[in-house]
Amino acid sequence: MAKKQPRNWKCGNRLWIEQDGRVVLGKGRVMLLEAIQREHSISKAASSLGMSYRRAWLLVQSMNEAAAEPLVETATGGSHGGGAQLTSLGESAIGLYHGLESAVRQAAEHFLKSH
Amino acid sequence: MAKKQPRNWKCGNRLWIEQDGRVVLGKGRVMLLEAIQREHSISKAASSLGMSYRRAWLLVQSMNEAAAEPLVETATGGSHGGGAQLTSLGESAIGLYHGLESAVRQAAEHFLKSH
């Protein structure tokens, strides 16, 4: 009789990055960073994700505070008043998160294949 | 000026194991398996975790169904009527989950240290 082995078990996960116990990045925050990178505006980024402006703004504040330096900079005046852009930390955070996701996925697949 | 590097960022995660899109194991389910292993009873296991018997019973059904073979066997008669014990799959699932947690944590730490 064919016995089903747990070999077709797959690993699911939710990842986040935290600093001093405060969440800096998670899947939704990274999607928001990517949208701000694309839209150069928190309001347009929020809208493209179907998220309220208030929620997006609070997430940006929360990221900036948790990281203890800004990932997103907002302009409050000038010709681009109200615009927003990623800092270099914000830019690198996107790649870091995706790299971490990939490293974790590979480690999990490798572990499940070999056990 | 000392620039804070994202080097003290830590990875948090929630892991689960699924089969054909259905969750077999997660942190809470593994804690329940460990309690059943210890208590030899779903009801005592539930109670030791501050969980209702109904919730524990539903989690056991869900695990057994998702894995397509039992992780927990319940005795419905005899001198140990109402008792429960892990199958060999249930026993090995506990170790597998903790091993997976550890592999993922190490991969995440290594990735964050080297990026």
Side-chain angles (χ1 to χ4, degrees), chain B residues 34-50:
Chain B
E34 289 167 336
I36 291 169
Q37 188 179 43
R38 195 168 61 233
E39 306 285 350
H40 309 288
S41 148
I42 293 178
S43 135
K44 287 180 189 166
S47 166
S48 79
L49 296 173

Side-chain angles (χ1 to χ4, degrees), chain B residues 36-94:
Chain B
I36 291 169
Q37 188 179 43
R38 195 168 61 233
E39 306 285 350
H40 309 288
S41 148
I42 293 178
S43 135
K44 287 180 189 166
S47 166
S48 79
L49 296 173
M51 184 186 282
S52 72
Y53 172 73
R54 179 178 157 75
R55 175 154 173 75
W57 190 86
L58 288 172
L59 282 172
V60 165
Q61 300 310 307
S62 174
M63 279 188 261
N64 286 351
E65 286 171 22
E69 61 173 312
L71 283 80
V72 176
E73 273 173 347
T74 52
T76 52
S79 59
H80 293 285
Q85 60 179 13
L86 303 191
T87 61
S88 62
L89 179 63
E91 301 274 355
S92 64
I94 293 176

